[in-house]
């Protein structure tokens, strides 16, 4: 008879990992192989691929597609001095689009996704699985067995292995990697503020062209109203109106491509000679410093490229590649060429060049589509910002904030209220404060080029550690990428005083928040790790723990995946009673995009059976949301009951952190593998299935288990009845509230970071009970102060 059991996975006494969601007559390796083949060998039909490519236009390419609204004006803010400058600028735009979005991102960087997830933190998580780069050492052997914990292996003497040892050997390198990732993430947040401002302001600016009597103040006011409405409806999500995005953006690309062809035919087809890179050399030779500084405006032609990568999670890479090469790339080239052809004969129309180049008969329809496309582009960057902050939150790099899933079908579509209103205020302030596309464009260019530089540095490590590319290929990629991006960076640096300071200030504030929060979280984890209770001390208390064991179940929440937290000794020292059943619950986020539901929980026993103490490790990925587990308590009890049943059958195979002192060699091996400070017991007993145990051993072992089953059945029934009675008596959630303070002898910077900034962020952020979805009526907070 085949039975399905939906619990967790864990290693048996021989170190073999078995998954419980399987049939009795099928071993784990065969089931896992089928699951892997389902993901790796699944082929998309041609029709489905084209449909996904069509849908990706609305989500991925909105920002990149609206750049023609403002590129030429930001390139020549003081007017066009020589018509040949247009050819040189157009040539730069053509090769920028070819080298950065097409070759670097669409063909290379998009392949560096973390199981379909894109963005700076996704690359960081991918690297953390291939090297010990995480600063919080909470890794565990069982984490490596997750089906989503994919990683590559390489020879010990390879270039990748040497690079890995170099990164892991210095704490400075780990911290540098974190700082690099945070800088890139903060710049993406800054771009999420600036892109809606410049896109909507440029689109609404078309009113000035159609009705010159309307002042710029009216245009700014209308843009502010549109932005306020856009941010105000974010809580509804884009699931209900998302189907409109792709048709709008496709129509937009077809319009700008068609208008480009019309302008090339009508005004000056000689602009097509810009496809020759010779005109780039002539442009710089003729313009000298002015030509160099104009790169800040040309840089805007590739804005939206990072949003392309951040929004990758909705579609397969192949569909994004098809959409770019078939629709986006040719239409953008035609649009820029058409504008250049129009400006060759109308150089005085540089302000609002796109709207001036539109034929009069279709002016207002194009204006409406342009405004709609600008809103779609803004939505793409806002969604990317929400997604990035959700990843940062899961990896301990952002204060606890409320995260709302706006779609039942797509977990990637999230809404963060607090961040949304901050983005709205800053976006409106930028729009109303500058009132000028040129200065906002300078600010946006600064943010984009820094994000691209960060992505290049991370991609170098991905090519070495994950893809195991030859060092020559890595060198070629590095030289080409840095040559282009450092050139742009040198140009945008010259415009820091012309608006480029805005993303630097915004990013500096967000960086301080994210880094100090992570620093405080790390220090708190370290102090809890070093002050955890000795197992010998727990054993010395006896089964009653030196207290009155009252009926009920106590869930003690802790960040530690091993050992008993100090907060527990503080609790039992100050209170005369403790619950009959104690479960230490550790909610742990891993550097994976998701943890399958059947692999979520890991149950272990602490001490002998009469202690009735257990540990539950609930594992999540950075895309998972803990609040989705509304029946978290029920699932935990189901796993606990199943564990008790299996534990009684294993006849001495159950795991215990305290049965014996861990072997020093085993502890050293654990430290070498995970770079952690906690001792791990030899045998890791998790929830496993009876069938798994039978499959591992010999037939004689299976017979021994059957005889053991009869002898232990009464013990099993007694413990299950005991658990059931305790559950009926009530469940109390004990939440540890560890407060850290800087020591008196600490330097000023540390006191400022810990005692003021971190303490302030911890005070204004959401409570842990809200994030963990703990019912308030059964919540008990236990606080303790540590000095670091």
């Amino acid at each position: 008879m085949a039975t399905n059991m939906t619990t967790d996975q864990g290693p048996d006494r021989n170190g073999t990992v078995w998954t419980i969601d399987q049939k009795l007559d099928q071993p784990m390796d065969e089931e896992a192989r089928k699951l892997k083949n389902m993901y790796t060998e699944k082929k998309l039909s041609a029709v489905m691929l084209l449909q996904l490519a069509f849908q990706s236009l609305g989500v991925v390419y909105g920002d990149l597609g609206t750049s023609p609204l403002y590129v030429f004006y930001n390139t020549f803010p003081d007017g066009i001095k020589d018509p040949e400058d247009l050819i040189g600028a157009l040539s730069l735009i053509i090769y920028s689009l070819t080298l950065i979005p097409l070759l670097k991102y669409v063909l290379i960087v998009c392949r560096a996704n973390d199981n379909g997830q894109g963005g700076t933190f996704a690359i960081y998580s991918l690297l953390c699985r291939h090297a010990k780069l995480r600063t919080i050492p909470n890794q565990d052997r069982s984490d490596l067995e997750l089906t989503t914990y994919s990683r590559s292996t390489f020879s010990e003497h390879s270039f990748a292995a040497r690079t890995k040892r170099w990164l892991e050997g210095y704490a400075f390198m780990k911290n540098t990697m974190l700082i690099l990732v945070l800088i890139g993430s903060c710049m993406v947040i800054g771009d999420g503020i600036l892109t809606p401002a410049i896109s909507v302001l440029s689109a609404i600016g078309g009113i000035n062209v159609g009705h010159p009597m309307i002042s710029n103040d009216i245009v700014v006011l209308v843009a502010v109203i549109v932005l306020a409405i856009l941010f105000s409806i974010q809580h509804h999500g884009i699931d209900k109106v998302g189907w409109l995005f792709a048709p709008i953006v496709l129509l937009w690309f077809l319009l700008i491509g068609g208008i480009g062809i019309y302008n090339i035919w009508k005004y000056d087809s000689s602009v097509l000679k810009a496809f020759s890179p010779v005109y780039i050399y002539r442009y710089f030779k003729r313009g000298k410093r002015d030509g160099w500084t104009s790169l800040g405006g040309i840089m805007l032609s590739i804005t939206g490229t990072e949003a392309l990568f951040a929004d990758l999670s909705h579609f397969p890479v192949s569909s994004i590649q098809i959409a770019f090469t078939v629709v986006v790339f040719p239409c953008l080239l035609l649009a820029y060429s058409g504008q250049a052809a129009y400006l060759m004969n109308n150089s005085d129309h540089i302000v609002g060049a796109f709207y001036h180049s539109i034929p009069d008969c279709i002016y207002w329809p194009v204006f409406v589509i342009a405004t709609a496309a600008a809103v779609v582009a803004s939505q793409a960057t806002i969604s990317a910002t929400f997604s990035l902050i959700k990843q940062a939150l899961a990896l301990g790099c952002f204060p606890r904030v409320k995260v709302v899933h706006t779609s039942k079908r797509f977990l990637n579509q999230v809404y963060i209220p607090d961040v949304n209103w901050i983005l709205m205020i800053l976006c409106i302030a930028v729009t109303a404060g500058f009132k000028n596309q040129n200065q906002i464009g300078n600010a946006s260019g600064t943010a984009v080029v820094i994000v691209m530089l960060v992505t290049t540095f991370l991609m170098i490590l991905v090519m070495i550690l994950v893809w195991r590319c030859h060092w020559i290929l890595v060198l070629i990629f590095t030289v080409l990428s840095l040559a282009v991006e450092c050139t742009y960076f040198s140009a945008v640096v010259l415009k820091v005083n012309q608006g480029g300071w805005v993303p630097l200030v915004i990013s500096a504030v967000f960086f301080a928040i994210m880094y100090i929060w992570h620093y405080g979280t790390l220090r708190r984890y370290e102090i809890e790790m070093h002050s955890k209770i000795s197992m010998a001390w727990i054993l010395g208390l006896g089964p009653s723990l030196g207290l009155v064991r009252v009926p009920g179940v106590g869930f003690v929440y802790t960040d530690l995946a091993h050992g008993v937290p100090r907060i527990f000794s503080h609790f039992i020292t100050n209170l005369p009673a403790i619950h009959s059943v104690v479960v230490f619950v550790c909610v742990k986020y891993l550097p994976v995009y998701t943890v399958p539901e059947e692999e979520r929980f890991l149950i272990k026993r602490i001490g002998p059976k009469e202690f009735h103490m257990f540990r539950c490790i609930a594992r999540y990925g950075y895309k998972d949301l803990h609040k989705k587990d509304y029946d978290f308590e029920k699932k935990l009890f189901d796993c606990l009951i199943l564990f008790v049943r299996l534990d009684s059958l294993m006849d001495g195979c159950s795991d215990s952190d305290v049965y014996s002192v861990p072997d020093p060699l085993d502890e050293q091996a654990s430290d070498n593998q995970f770079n952690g400070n906690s001792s791990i017991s030899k045998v890791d007993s998790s929830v496993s299935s009876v069938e798994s145990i039978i499959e591992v051993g010999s037939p004689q072992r299976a017979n021994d288990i059957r005889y053991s089953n009869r002898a232990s059945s009464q013990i099993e029934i007694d413990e299950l009845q005991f658990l059931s009675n305790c559950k009926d008596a009530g469940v109390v959630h004990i939440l540890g509230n560890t407060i850290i303070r800087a020591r008196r002898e600490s330097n000023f910077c540390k006191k400022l970071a810990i005692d003021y900034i971190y303490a302030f962020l911890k005070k204004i952020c959401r409570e842990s009970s809200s994030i963990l979805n703990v019912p308030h009526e059964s919540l008990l907070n236990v606080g303790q102060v540590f000095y670091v």
Side-chain angles (χ1 to χ4, degrees), residues 516 519-521 523-524 739-743 746 748-762 786 788:
I516 291 175
Y519 174 75
T521 302
R523 297 297 294 166
R524 190 183 65 183
I739 301 173
I740 58 174
R741 293 281 186 268
R743 298 181 185 273
S746 301
F748 172 77
C749 293
K750 186 175 182 179
K751 289 182 178 180
L752 177 65
I754 296 295
D755 292 345
Y756 295 96
I757 301 179
Y758 180 75
F760 174 74
L761 293 174
K762 200 169 187 298
F786 290 98
V788 296

Side-chain angles (χ1 to χ4, degrees), residues 180-251:
L180 192 66
V181 170
L182 292 182
I183 289 175
S185 302
C186 292
M187 288 297 171
V188 172
I189 296 173
D191 191 40
I193 296 169
L194 297 170
T195 294
I198 191 171
S199 296
V200 174
L201 185 60
S202 300
I204 301 298
I207 299 177
N208 269 338
V209 178
H211 294 282
M213 71 288 300
I214 296 179
S215 66
N216 188 61
D217 292 337
I218 300 298
V219 173
V220 173
L221 178 60
V222 174
V224 167
I225 293 173
V226 172
L227 289 171
I229 294 174
L230 174 63
F231 283 100
S232 298
I233 63 174
Q234 288 298 312
H235 66 280
H236 294 294
I238 62 172
D239 195 27
K240 297 179 180 179
V241 296
W243 61 273
L244 283 173
F245 288 178
I248 289 173
V249 177
L250 177 61
L251 181 59

Side-chain angles (χ1 to χ4, degrees), residues 408-607:
K408 295 181 180 179
R409 295 184 299 167
F410 303 106
L411 289 179
N412 301 305
Q413 295 182 10
V414 296
Y415 166 68
I416 306 177
D418 299 332
V419 175
N420 178 70
W421 301 124
I422 293 174
L423 292 179
M424 185 188 77
I425 293 171
L426 293 176
C427 186
I428 291 177
V430 168
T431 305
F434 284 127
K435 301 181 181 180
N436 186 290
Q437 300 176 25
N438 187 31
Q439 290 184 318
I440 301 177
N442 294 337
S444 180
T446 303
V448 170
V449 72
I450 293 177
V451 175
M452 289 181 178
L453 284 170
V454 170
T455 302
T456 296
F457 291 129
L458 294 178
M459 279 299 303
I460 293 172
L461 294 178
V462 169
M463 296 179 73
I464 296 173
L465 298 177
V466 183
W467 295 349
R468 290 170 291 171
C469 297
H470 195 277
W471 67 268
I472 295 179
L473 294 177
V474 178
L475 182 63
I476 293 173
F477 172 82
T478 304
V479 171
L480 291 178
S481 297
L482 292 182
V484 176
E485 291 162 5
C486 288
T487 302
Y488 278 121
F489 180 74
S490 65
V492 299
V493 165
L494 299 176
K495 295 190 175 184
V496 169
N497 62 338
Q498 301 175 28
W501 57 270
V502 173
L504 299 180
V505 172
I506 294 174
S507 299
V509 173
F510 276 98
F511 176 82
I513 292 173
M514 296 172 76
Y515 187 78
I516 291 175
W517 180 263
H518 182 270
Y519 174 75
T521 302
L522 175 62
R523 297 297 294 166
R524 190 183 65 183
Y525 181 86
E526 288 176 345
I527 198 67
E528 288 184 359
M529 191 67 143
H530 288 93
S531 62
K532 63 183 181 182
I533 302 174
S534 166
M535 297 301 160
W537 184 77
I538 292 289
L539 278 177
L541 295 177
S544 66
L545 299 178
L547 304 168
V548 177
R549 300 293 292 266
V550 297
V553 179
F555 286 161
V556 181
Y557 290 87
T558 174
D559 293 331
L560 299 181
H562 301 282
V564 179
R566 182 84 176 179
I567 206 78
F568 182 70
S569 68
H570 182 66
F571 177 79
I572 63 177
T573 302
N574 291 276
L575 292 177
I578 190 66
H579 299 87
S580 299
V581 176
V582 177
V583 182
F584 294 96
V585 181
C586 172
V587 178
K588 182 169 67 170
Y589 283 90
L590 303 176
V592 296
Y593 75 103
T594 187
V595 175
E597 190 68 32
E598 63 272 13
E599 302 178 64
R600 176 85 67 209
F601 297 97
L602 208 61
I603 306 291
K604 304 177 183 180
R605 185 188 292 278
I606 298 179

